[in-house]
Amino acid sequence: QVQLVESGGGLVQIGGSLRLSCAASGSIFTINDMAWYRQAPGKQRELVATVSKYGGTHYANSVKGRFTISRDNAKNTVYLQMNSLEPGDTAVYYCYADGVYGARDYGMTYWGEGTLVTVYS
């Protein structure tokens, strides 16, 4: 069973920075795409950023220029560097892995349990 474990959330002032990490554990051969989603109170979950195993990235317009997604394929880990944080970035951030291939997985999708980011003034 593959598990995604996020870390790095917390409280940060407006304009501050945080770095989220998400490590995938289990018998994994490769992961095609990894991403971060977020869900603010009373809102639907939305895509923040994605990164392919070849390094191609995509960002939501609301975070372009402020957030950077990256991954370490050898560690099956994805990161989200968040700068110039705004109150609107307050949400639970979820790690997502798609196209997971391993000893017991063939193209599976997994979600992490989420980590809370709170931006305050």
Side-chain angles (χ1 to χ4, degrees), residues 4-22:
L4 303 182
V5 180
E6 302 105 333
S7 61
L11 290 169
V12 62
Q13 276 192 315
I14 291 175
S17 298
L18 279 177
R19 189 190 194 212
L20 305 182
S21 299
C22 170

Side-chain angles (χ1 to χ4, degrees), residues 1-2 26-29 100-108 110:
Q1 182 75 9
V2 172
S27 182
I28 299 169
F29 300 151
V100 178
Y101 292 83
R104 298 174 181 170
D105 294 276
Y106 192 83
M108 297 296 290
Y110 290 95

Side-chain angles (χ1 to χ4, degrees), residues 22 33-37 47 49-51 69 78 94-98:
C22 170
D33 299 301
M34 300 188 81
W36 289 96
Y37 283 74
L47 176 67
T50 66
V51 58
I69 190 169
V78 63
Y94 296 91
C95 179
Y96 171 85
D98 186 38

Side-chain angles (χ1 to χ4, degrees), residues 1-78:
Q1 182 75 9
V2 172
Q3 288 188 319
L4 303 182
V5 180
E6 302 105 333
S7 61
L11 290 169
V12 62
Q13 276 192 315
I14 291 175
S17 298
L18 279 177
R19 189 190 194 212
L20 305 182
S21 299
C22 170
S25 63
S27 182
I28 299 169
F29 300 151
T30 189
I31 302 174
N32 286 344
D33 299 301
M34 300 188 81
W36 289 96
Y37 283 74
R38 68 186 181 186
Q39 187 167 16
K43 295 188 177 181
Q44 290 188 329
R45 192 172 297 190
E46 64 177 2
L47 176 67
V48 177
T50 66
V51 58
S52 75
K53 66 179 179 181
Y54 302 112
T57 59
H58 170 79
Y59 296 92
N61 287 335
S62 59
V63 306
K64 278 182 182 176
R66 300 188 299 122
F67 290 10
T68 302
I69 190 169
S70 61
R71 64 188 282 179
D72 184 333
N73 291 333
K75 297 180 179 179
N76 292 319
T77 299
V78 63

Side-chain angles (χ1 to χ4, degrees), residues 10-16 85-90 117-121:
L11 290 169
V12 62
Q13 276 192 315
I14 291 175
L85 283 160
E86 305 167 352
D89 296 318
T90 294
V117 172
T118 304
V119 184
Y120 66 95
S121 58

